[in-house]
Amino acid sequence: QLPHLEEVLDGFRDLCYAGSKVDIVIYTTVIYPVAFIDMFNDRMRCNNPSQNSGLTTTMILKPNHVRLHLVDFHRQLFYERIDQYDVFIYTEDDIRISPTTVAAYLHETNRVESIVGSQHATDFNVGIVRYEYDFPENV
């Protein structure tokens, strides 16, 4: 899964270079070697000079027995930090989020608000649909 994770993280780094402040929190049950963490930290730098941009990455180790419930931990983090961010993005290790994706999400969210009004806009949530092609082997 590591190559997929690197692709996802590259997308978040692109968000930083596009001018966003990005805080990445990775929940994992895998104990990574120190050499990997050093390489990871070196790759996850964003040198955007804007004071509004930045990139931090935090890895949180969870016990191995949580297994499929690893996907549940982000909710508590969202509630704890709800007043610190404009947008929260939850993704798994194979879904790349680009600056274009975030811009489209924000644009469509604003469209919903302009249609239904700000009072009712919270009744709606714009989503992003991801799909994959399953081409036959001879294509």
Side-chain angles (χ1 to χ4, degrees):
Q1 296 289 6
L2 198 54
H4 297 295
L5 176 60
E6 288 182 290
E7 179 80 12
V8 170
L9 293 175
D10 285 346
F12 286 116
R13 189 178 61 219
D14 291 347
L15 281 168
C16 174
Y17 278 113
S20 297
K21 182 180 182 315
V22 180
D23 294 325
I24 301 169
V25 178
I26 301 170
Y27 291 100
T28 183
T29 58
V30 176
I31 299 173
Y32 292 101
V34 173
F36 171 80
I37 300 294
D38 286 343
M39 179 190 71
F40 179 82
N41 285 332
D42 196 48
R43 276 198 71 204
M44 291 307 297
R45 295 179 200 263
C46 173
N47 297 319
N48 187 328
S50 169
Q51 292 181 355
N52 295 327
S53 68
L55 178 66
T56 65
T57 306
T58 305
M59 293 181 106
I60 299 175
L61 185 63
K62 292 294 183 180
N64 201 29
H65 67 80
V66 299
R67 301 173 45 93
L68 297 176
H69 294 286
L70 190 63
V71 300
D72 297 331
F73 290 102
H74 72 281
R75 291 185 183 127
Q76 183 62 38
L77 180 72
F78 282 13
Y79 288 123
E80 289 170 3
R81 298 183 183 183
I82 193 129
D83 293 327
Q84 297 176 25
Y85 300 95
D86 295 324
V87 175
F88 286 93
I89 299 173
Y90 168 81
T91 185
E92 295 187 12
D93 58 19
D94 64 344
I95 302 172
R96 183 180 171 113
I97 304 293
S98 69
T100 304
T101 306
V102 175
Y105 171 83
L106 294 172
H107 173 77
E108 294 302 325
T109 299
N110 287 334
R111 279 189 57 207
V112 168
E113 186 172 336
S114 71
I115 293 168
V116 301
S118 59
Q119 183 177 359
H120 296 288
T122 57
D123 295 337
F124 299 88
N125 186 21
V126 173
I128 298 169
V129 177
R130 183 191 111 162
Y131 59 91
E132 296 177 3
Y133 290 107
D134 188 17
F135 290 113
E137 291 181 22
N138 62 350
V139 173

